[in-house]
Amino acid sequence: MKNYYRYLHLFEKEKGGVGSTGSLVTAAHEVMKRGDPVVFVECSVTQADVLNAYSKRHTVHEVDLKSDDAADQILSAVQQADPGARIFVNVPGGRLDDLDRVHDLIRFVQKKYPDLMRVAVTWTMGLDAASRTTLDALRMSHIPGQLILNLPHWHGDLGNYSNVDSDLLDSVLAEGGIVLQMPELTPHLYDRFRKDEIGLDVLPQAPRMTFGNVAAFEMWEAEVAATLADIY
């Protein structure tokens, strides 16, 4: 049966530096390998890592989350995408009010147009208490879709997340959410994406990629495929 839904993946966080952008491009890379269409929405307009690395080969919408019509633009990007597309939204850290405005419009659209999209929010947890406090506040206001709690390996093992306890993990799972530890792309390869502005979809063919670099990238791809399975 043909899939007519669009899939909206909001990658959110309390502040930058927690590994949310790296997690987004990791998930998008797995979807690309699967052959599904990918659309990006770059809301981190001051850094624009996703825009710089992917806009020559993929659709990338630029949206300033602080603008009054940010939520409108995100939903328009969803509507314009092909059925079956995965729309990955790179949300910067910032004010809770900005996230609430986006979530409010998404909830409205879900009710009025139930066949348009399916939504998941990937919350990338940082190590500080503010990340947990903001997540708790968002959950109380009803996240508009499945919650994927991302505890990326960038920060080490689960025990390093001192603000993540069994009550949080159990409640996320009980509500139909997912707990994920996104695999880490080694820093020297991640720098090729972030500093050299090379998308992961073309990284193996990039200049200065040695045989060993490519082998390490392929090993990472295998770990990503095993970890993500059908999450994205």
Side-chain angles (χ1 to χ4, degrees):
M1 182 178 296
K2 187 173 182 179
N3 185 351
Y4 289 96
Y5 294 117
R6 286 84 170 165
Y7 295 87
L8 176 60
H9 293 285
L10 298 163
F11 276 71
E12 301 179 355
K13 54 185 176 286
E14 189 271 329
K15 66 178 182 180
V18 296
S20 179
T21 300
S23 296
L24 180 150
V25 296
T26 296
H29 184 68
E30 180 62 21
V31 172
M32 290 177 192
K33 287 187 62 183
R34 194 168 65 219
D36 291 344
V38 168
V39 173
F40 295 104
V41 179
E42 176 64 276
C43 298
S44 184
V45 293
T46 58
Q47 196 162 353
D49 289 335
V50 172
L51 176 73
N52 295 336
Y54 288 98
S55 60
K56 293 180 180 178
R57 298 174 309 285
H58 301 275
T59 299
V60 183
H61 301 270
E62 281 189 273
V63 177
D64 186 348
L65 205 66
K66 294 185 174 67
S67 65
D68 292 339
D69 64 343
D72 315 31
Q73 293 183 62
I74 292 171
L75 267 297
S76 293
V78 174
Q79 188 274 332
Q80 294 165 18
D82 292 333
R86 303 270 170 172
I87 300 96
F88 289 89
V89 184
N90 190 27
V91 180
R95 299 186 308 166
L96 186 59
D97 289 348
D98 293 333
L99 296 179
D100 281 337
R101 283 190 295 111
V102 174
H103 290 183
D104 285 345
L105 186 58
I106 289 173
R107 281 191 289 268
F108 174 81
V109 170
Q110 286 175 315
K111 291 179 180 179
K112 188 170 179 63
Y113 306 98
D115 296 329
L116 175 64
M117 62 183 175
R118 292 292 181 264
V119 182
V121 174
T122 299
W123 180 264
T124 300
M125 182 69 74
L127 299 180
D128 60 343
S131 185
R132 171 66 184 271
T133 300
T134 306
L135 174 60
D136 288 343
L138 283 176
R139 294 178 70 207
M140 288 180 64
S141 66
H142 304 297
I143 289 175
Q146 184 183 45
L147 173 62
I148 301 172
L149 178 58
N150 178 31
L151 311 170
H153 276 296
W154 276 273
H155 303 306
D157 295 329
L158 185 59
N160 290 12
Y161 291 88
S162 59
N163 295 289
V164 175
D165 52 33
S166 58
D167 288 342
L168 173 61
L169 300 179
D170 291 344
S171 63
V172 168
L173 295 173
E175 294 168 1
I178 294 171
V179 177
L180 167 67
Q181 286 199 275
M182 189 68 76
E184 177 187 10
L185 182 60
T186 55
H188 71 282
L189 292 178
Y190 185 70
D191 280 348
R192 300 302 309 274
F193 155 71
R194 188 175 60 85
K195 294 181 180 179
D196 297 341
E197 301 177 354
I198 300 173
L200 302 186
D201 55 332
V202 295
L203 183 57
Q205 295 81 41
R208 306 192 313 277
M209 282 290 286
T210 65
F211 176 80
N213 289 158
V214 174
F217 185 80
E218 291 173 341
M219 185 172 68
W220 169 81
E221 285 184 315
E223 184 182 3
V224 169
T227 302
L228 297 190
D230 298 322
I231 296 177
Y232 296 98

